[in-house]
Amino acid sequence: MAYAIPDLDRRMGELAEATIDFEGPFERFGERAIALRDPDGLRVEVIEGGARDEGFHSVTLWLEEVAATAAVLEAMGYVREAEEATATGGTGETETRIRYRSTDPERGSVVDLMTSDARAIGRSGAGTIHHVAFRARNQEEQLAWRARLSAAGQQITPVIDRQYFDAIYFRTPGGVLFEIATDPPGFAVDEDPAHLGEALKLPEKYEAHRARIEQLLPQIRVPS
């Protein structure tokens, strides 16, 4: 997972002042980047440029082979942009990335398909990425995507009401779970937009478990 920022040098200075370790800077597809670990140990990258403003930059899918997943992205309107192979870890291992970019110029429009000689074990649990979500502006657009992907051979779930949005899901040939979620109805359905995030809101079906959920959630510290 990668985020875009306009000034990498400033961000590296802030991380250094906060004594937060990071890897880099390094270059990928002509963009400077650094990598660091979040509190759960998940690798997060910060990339300079590649987006109109700060926000999501891209997601990387680590696959054994890319052709079938690439076909799904192409059915979704993504275009193959570039390929890059780099040595990793100083052990002679090679990491190959193929970059796909959406023709819709929104931020978070990049998907990298990666294969690597390095061995790794996938793990589920806290701090891991469960699925990759894509945006549908409304229900009509979502249903159009469902029909298009079904015609391309994907097994799509029915539309699922998530209270704050509607979602459909399908698993790519590479095993990655994709979601397409609508913008509406949005997070203002049960609270004042001026006070979003000030209280824990739960879908009705989870209210019976509120006490347990609140007990498990970590405290959120907002810098003053």
Side-chain angles (χ1 to χ4, degrees), residues 77-137:
Y78 281 77
V79 176
R80 179 171 172 146
E81 185 175 77
E83 180 174 338
E84 184 175 271
T86 57
T88 61
T91 60
E93 296 167 342
T94 301
E95 172 186 293
T96 301
R97 287 175 179 263
I98 302 175
R99 172 153 293 183
Y100 278 82
R101 187 181 296 274
S102 170
T103 54
D104 190 337
E106 295 283 347
R107 59 175 171 233
S109 60
V110 172
V111 177
D112 284 353
L113 304 184
M114 185 187 82
T115 58
S116 175
D117 297 335
R119 298 183 64 84
I121 299 174
R123 295 181 176 89
S124 297
T128 61
I129 295 176
H130 181 264
H131 63 275
V132 179
F134 297 84
R135 176 193 183 195
R137 293 173 178 81

Side-chain angles (χ1 to χ4, degrees), residues 16-65:
E17 289 179 5
T19 64
I20 297 174
D21 290 334
F22 59 88
E23 172 193 333
F26 55 89
E27 187 171 300
R28 180 181 299 141
F29 293 114
E31 298 172 329
R32 290 201 308 153
I34 59 174
L36 59 156
R37 299 283 175 177
D38 73 5
D40 291 305
L42 181 69
R43 179 186 172 95
V44 177
E45 296 183 346
V46 180
I47 298 176
E48 185 175 61
R52 293 176 300 173
D53 51 7
E54 292 190 337
F56 283 116
H57 176 279
S58 58
V59 64
T60 296
L61 311 183
W62 188 344
L63 307 168
E64 290 186 1
E65 66 87 25

Side-chain angles (χ1 to χ4, degrees), residues 207-222:
E207 278 295 344
H209 307 290
R210 174 176 285 275
R212 179 62 174 161
I213 292 171
E214 290 179 341
Q215 183 182 25
L216 294 173
L217 288 175
Q219 292 293 319
I220 297 176
R221 296 183 297 275
V222 180

Side-chain angles (χ1 to χ4, degrees), residues 125-162:
T128 61
I129 295 176
H130 181 264
H131 63 275
V132 179
F134 297 84
R135 176 193 183 195
R137 293 173 178 81
N138 50 51
Q139 286 84 357
E140 292 76 17
E141 186 172 284
Q142 182 187 64
L143 291 175
W145 277 117
R146 190 177 189 280
R148 180 174 178 177
L149 288 163
S150 294
Q154 297 301 304
Q155 300 297 312
I156 318 291
T157 68
V159 175
I160 300 173
D161 181 358
R162 297 300 193 194

